[in-house]
Amino acid sequence: MIVERDNKRSYSQPVYMDHAATTPLDPAVLEAMLPYMRDNFGNASSVHRLGRAARGAIEDSRERIAGHLNANPEEIVFMSGATEANNFALNGLGLGSHLVTSRIEHKAVLEPAQALESRGVRVTYLVPDARIGAPSADQVAEAMEADTCQVSVMYVNNETGAVAPIKEIASICRARDVVLHTDAVQAAAWMTLDVEDLGVDMMSLSAHKMYGPKGAGILYVRSGVELSPQVLGGSQERGRRGGTENVAAVVGMAAAMALTVSDRDAAVSRVQALRKELEGRLIDSIGDQLVINTPLNAAPHILSTAFRPIAGSPLDGEMLLLNMDLEGISASAGSACASGAITPSHVLLGLGLPEHTARASLRLSLGRSTTSEDIALTAERIVKIVQRMRQQRTG
């Protein structure tokens, strides 16, 4: 069971509000991994004792993960993370086929989709339904054509926390014999992922978003779905992904998933209450300038905010984020800094947010170690920063 951290925090200690980017490695997960970094270091393809121990650890982890997903062990393919899994899921599409996805997917889906377009695959990018902040089942149904062979819609959006109606989309896909892939990275720590109940054909997961190690992930591939291997030169993963397995990372992912599942309901309830507290504090203090991009029925851990222009002038998003860091709050922007220029988040633009507002955004993502004190400090410092920037603008 994941142990709650000490609630006492010094004023100077940074408050970590970026769990959607990565989560800290749980000590119990590290303990499970250490034997495979030290004594049991064998190559899982070797036939001697050390190799057999490594192979046993991998297959035991595969069975445990499959059990949590209500899948068969042979349907679990170990990857380096969700980026590779997403690429693997999409790159099996043939020329002349049709893919349906959305404008607010992670870049690990959007960029492979764009690469497929350059090779002759037709891609439809759905605008999210404003009511839910994600593509609706009706939108997916309307976008399908006679040659549609795959739909890829993320379960929980990584910037806003919006939850897509995956079960309804899966029902439509199954009725039309279309493969459904979902990036469920942001759902794994907070939602039940029963692949039979959801009805998905492929699902990408990453360990470091659920208190596991970086560099470990899986692609669930339903039996009967044919995918060409993308990494050649080895027969590992039943010929689907060549390369020597990272045994410790695989063991860590299985341990992390078990810990996450063990107390999920209590963690969800607590974190959701904290997120609502944070949202309420911000609305009470700077509600006239605040935009909330996270819908009501979102995943519990993400609060996406943005700030309207001050005196007709957009807020400097890069300065906002730097000030947050100086004030001891580790958070992310809904934009990426490239070559010194702030680029508005494609997700927020896809949701219809004006560019000048999208440039000044913050994604605040909570975790199991987040406390009420963290929430109070985060709200206090955001208000302090925004009010200071407002005074500078109005001069």
Side-chain angles (χ1 to χ4, degrees), residues 61-287:
S61 298
R62 196 188 310 274
E63 289 187 12
R64 293 172 65 193
I65 291 172
H68 292 309
L69 301 180
N70 193 22
N72 297 318
E74 61 270 18
E75 297 174 319
I76 305 301
V77 185
F78 288 114
M79 299 274 169
S80 63
T83 295
E84 183 186 4
N86 288 341
N87 277 262
F88 194 102
L90 267 64
N91 284 336
L93 294 174
L95 297 180
S97 56
H98 179 230
L99 167 69
V100 176
T101 186
S102 82
R103 292 185 182 179
I104 62 170
E105 298 299 305
H106 192 280
K107 289 293 183 70
V109 166
L110 290 178
E111 291 190 10
Q114 291 160 2
L116 287 170
E117 280 189 289
S118 70
R119 302 203 297 267
V121 173
R122 290 183 302 104
V123 181
T124 297
Y125 299 93
L126 299 175
V127 177
D129 186 318
R131 296 170 300 173
I132 60 174
S136 69
D138 288 341
Q139 286 178 303
V140 172
E142 291 171 6
M144 284 187 180
E145 300 177 9
D147 60 349
T148 302
C149 62
Q150 188 178 133
V151 170
S152 182
V153 173
M154 70 194 319
Y155 195 3
V156 172
N157 187 268
N158 60 299
E159 287 194 29
T160 68
V163 179
I166 291 298
K167 288 178 67 171
E168 291 80 359
I169 292 172
S171 179
I172 291 168
C173 289
R174 187 155 295 183
R176 304 192 188 189
D177 198 26
V178 172
V179 171
L180 173 62
H181 164 254
T182 187
D183 176 339
V185 165
Q186 293 295 339
W190 308 104
M191 302 168 73
T192 301
L193 298 178
D194 183 325
V195 295
E196 290 301 322
D197 182 55
L198 292 173
V200 298
D201 299 296
M202 292 189 285
M203 175 189 289
S204 302
L205 296 175
S206 191
H208 75 103
K209 303 300 176 79
M210 51 176 140
Y211 305 88
K214 298 175 180 65
I218 67 156
L219 179 66
Y220 159 76
V221 183
R222 185 179 294 277
S223 297
V225 175
E226 297 295 331
L227 288 178
S228 301
Q230 303 298 313
V231 180
L232 305 176
S235 59
Q236 290 87 352
E237 295 303 291
R238 294 174 172 81
R240 293 176 291 191
R241 182 184 185 268
T244 302
E245 298 95 340
N246 185 343
V247 182
V250 165
V251 169
M253 182 167 186
M257 188 171 286
L259 289 168
T260 299
V261 168
S262 68
D263 64 347
R264 179 183 285 145
D265 290 345
V268 166
S269 178
R270 195 182 68 83
V271 169
Q272 192 166 51
L274 290 174
R275 188 197 71 194
K276 290 180 179 178
E277 179 186 344
L278 176 59
E279 181 177 346
R281 285 176 177 267
L282 293 175
I283 290 173
D284 289 343
S285 300
I286 50 174

Side-chain angles (χ1 to χ4, degrees), residues 287-316:
D288 59 329
Q289 195 173 343
L290 187 71
V291 177
I292 301 294
N293 306 304
T294 296
L296 290 176
N297 297 319
H301 64 304
I302 295 177
L303 178 63
S304 172
T305 64
F307 301 90
R308 299 184 179 92
I310 298 172
S313 180
L315 213 63
D316 188 325

